Amino acid sequence: MNPNNLLSYKHFRSGAAWIILFIGIGLYYLGYFQVENDSIWKEIIIKIADVLVIGVLLGYLSNAAQFLGVFKQDLQDIVYGKEFLKKRNDISTLWETVSKQLFKEKFPAISKDLLSAIKESYLPLNEVSYYNDYNVIIELSWADDAHEFIIAKDTVNFDLITESPNKFELPLSSWINIDGLNSDEYYIKIVEYTINGEQITNSQEKSEVDSKHQIYKHKCTIELSGHTKYEITQRQERRYMLAKDFHISFRAKHIINKLNVQLRYPDDINVDFLCRGTIKDFKDVNSSNGYIEKQYKGIILPRQGYVFVLNKKR
C-alpha cells in the first residue's frame, strides 16, 4: 500500500467511525426514548448501540496508544541518538547519572571518586589505537655454566588497530636490574622489527642507566602512518642476572583484545604465574615441565597484564 492510498484509507476509517458513532447515539435515543419499556426491541436496539459506540471508542483508544508509543520511540531516538549526544555539553554528568543507576546507587559516600577512577583509568579518552590478538613467546636459557645469568628471547606479534591513518609513535620499552653488575654482563638488543612483513630500519633506539635505581633501560620507537591496521612483529634479546631479576612482568600500555603468552624455561627453574589486575583469570592452555601457555580472551586494559615469578631450584 503506497502512502497516498494509506492516507486515504485512514481518512476513510476516520469518517466511517464518526458515522458509526452517530448511528450508535441515534440508536440510544431511539431505544431509551422512542421504544416502549416492555418491548423486546428496546433491549435489542440498546445492545446494538453499545456495540457500535464502544467499538468506536476502543478503536480511538487503540490508535491513541499506538500514536503515543510511536511518539515515545521517536523521542527516545532523538534524546539518545548519537548526533544529539555528540552536541550535549553535559555528557559527563549524564554518564555519571546512568552509571549510578547501573550499580543501583551503591556506596554513595565514594560513588563520585569511584566513577572518577573508572573514567581516568579505563575509558580510552586519549587513546588512538589498540592491540588485537597479542601473542608473546618467551624463551629462557642459561647464559653461563654457573646458571646465574639468563638469556631471554622475546617474540611479540599483534595487529595494531588505529582510529585514523595519521602519524603516531609506537614505543617498545624494556628494562633490567643491573645492581652490582659490570656493563659487559648485561644487554638488551632488538633482533628484528617488522611492520606488515617489512623489516624496519628507521627505528630510534635509546639506552640509559638509571644510577639511582640501578636499572638499565632500553627504548625503541618507530613512526607509523598511512594505515589503520598494522601487523607488528618484535623480537628482542636480553641478558641479565636471575637473582636480581626474578620475574618477567608485562603491563599493557594500550588496550589489548585477546592475549596469548608462552614461556619456555630450563628444568632447574620454578615458575609461578600471576594475573596483574585483570578482570578475569588467564586460562591455562597448556602447562608441563619447562613450558607454560596462558590465554586471555577478553579485554586487557592499560596497566593490566601478568607476571611470571622465577626461582632457581635448590
Side-chain angles (χ1 to χ4, degrees):
M1 182 178 293
N2 64 49
N4 292 331
N5 290 340
L6 180 61
L7 186 61
S8 301
Y9 175 67
K10 288 183 177 179
H11 287 166
F12 171 77
R13 284 187 59 187
S14 177
W18 282 105
I19 294 173
I20 294 172
L21 180 62
F22 285 131
I23 292 174
I25 294 174
L27 290 175
Y28 276 133
Y29 176 79
L30 183 64
Y32 282 108
F33 301 106
Q34 301 297 323
V35 180
E36 297 180 358
N37 291 334
D38 56 352
S39 173
I40 190 174
W41 288 105
K42 181 182 182 69
E43 184 176 350
I44 294 174
I45 292 173
I46 292 176
K47 290 296 183 183
I48 294 175
D50 288 340
V51 171
L52 296 178
V53 173
I54 293 174
V56 171
L57 293 178
L58 288 176
Y60 273 108
L61 290 175
S62 176
N63 289 336
Q66 184 179 6
F67 171 76
L68 290 175
V70 172
F71 177 75
K72 180 180 179 182
Q73 183 61 47
D74 289 342
L75 184 61
Q76 289 178 341
D77 292 341
I78 293 173
V79 174
Y80 298 108
K82 291 182 180 180
E83 296 303 319
F84 181 75
L85 290 176
K86 287 179 181 179
K87 298 176 181 179
R88 294 189 62 155
N89 297 322
D90 61 340
I91 193 69
S92 295
T93 304
L94 178 62
W95 175 79
E96 290 180 4
T97 302
V98 173
S99 299
K100 287 179 180 179
Q101 295 306 312
L102 284 175
F103 58 76
K104 299 180 180 179
E105 295 284 357
K106 290 184 178 179
F107 321 120
I110 63 169
S111 62
K112 186 175 181 179
D113 293 335
L114 175 61
L115 291 173
S116 178
I118 293 173
K119 183 178 180 180
E120 293 177 5
S121 301
Y122 298 129
L123 294 184
L125 300 178
N126 300 316
E127 294 290 332
V128 297
S129 63
Y130 72 91
Y131 300 157
N132 195 47
D133 289 328
Y134 200 93
N135 296 288
V136 183
I137 299 175
I138 307 168
E139 298 182 3
L140 303 180
S141 60
W142 291 113
D144 61 335
D145 294 336
H147 289 194
E148 292 183 350
F149 287 85
I150 283 283
I151 290 181
K153 296 181 179 180
D154 305 336
T155 301
V156 179
N157 60 78
F158 56 90
D159 291 335
L160 175 63
I161 311 298
T162 67
E163 64 178 1
S164 74
N166 295 336
K167 182 171 66 175
F168 71 100
E169 293 185 343
L170 176 64
L172 171 62
S173 302
S174 298
W175 61 270
I176 53 177
N177 193 318
I178 59 171
D179 187 17
L181 299 180
N182 298 321
S183 59
D184 61 345
E185 294 181 305
Y186 62 87
Y187 64 77
I188 299 176
K189 63 182 180 180
I190 303 298
V191 178
E192 182 182 8
Y193 209 143
T194 62
I195 309 294
N196 295 335
E198 296 184 4
Q199 182 72 32
I200 297 301
T201 58
N202 61 343
S203 61
Q204 300 179 5
E205 297 188 39
K206 180 181 180 182
S207 300
E208 62 179 355
V209 174
D210 183 344
S211 301
K212 180 179 179 181
H213 300 96
Q214 287 297 294
I215 292 175
Y216 175 71
K217 300 179 180 179
H218 183 272
K219 185 176 182 179
C220 176
T221 305
I222 61 171
E223 289 186 350
L224 298 175
S225 63
H227 301 279
T228 57
K229 179 181 178 181
Y230 303 87
E231 296 178 1
I232 312 291
T233 299
Q234 303 166 337
R235 291 188 175 92
Q236 70 171 1
E237 184 175 309
R238 294 170 290 137
R239 188 183 194 274
Y240 58 93
M241 191 173 188
L242 180 62
K244 299 182 183 297
D245 253 328
F246 53 87
H247 59 83
I248 299 175
S249 302
F250 173 78
R251 187 178 71 169
K253 182 176 178 61
H254 301 287
I255 296 171
I256 296 176
N257 177 40
K258 295 182 293 185
L259 184 149
N260 184 278
V261 56
Q262 303 173 44
L263 174 67
R264 294 181 174 87
Y265 56 94
D267 294 339
D268 57 347
I269 292 180
N270 288 320
V271 178
D272 291 314
F273 179 85
L274 304 173
C275 298
R276 189 174 190 172
T278 53
I279 299 173
K280 300 180 293 184
D281 291 335
F282 279 74
K283 180 182 177 182
D284 188 11
V285 178
N286 185 15
S287 293
S288 59
N289 189 27
Y291 180 78
I292 293 177
E293 183 175 358
K294 298 285 185 176
Q295 188 178 74
Y296 196 92
K297 291 187 176 182
I299 297 295
I300 293 179
L301 299 172
R303 299 187 180 90
Q304 296 180 349
Y306 60 81
V307 178
F308 286 107
V309 181
L310 312 177
N311 290 292
K312 184 179 178 182
K313 293 181 180 178
R314 298 185 181 278

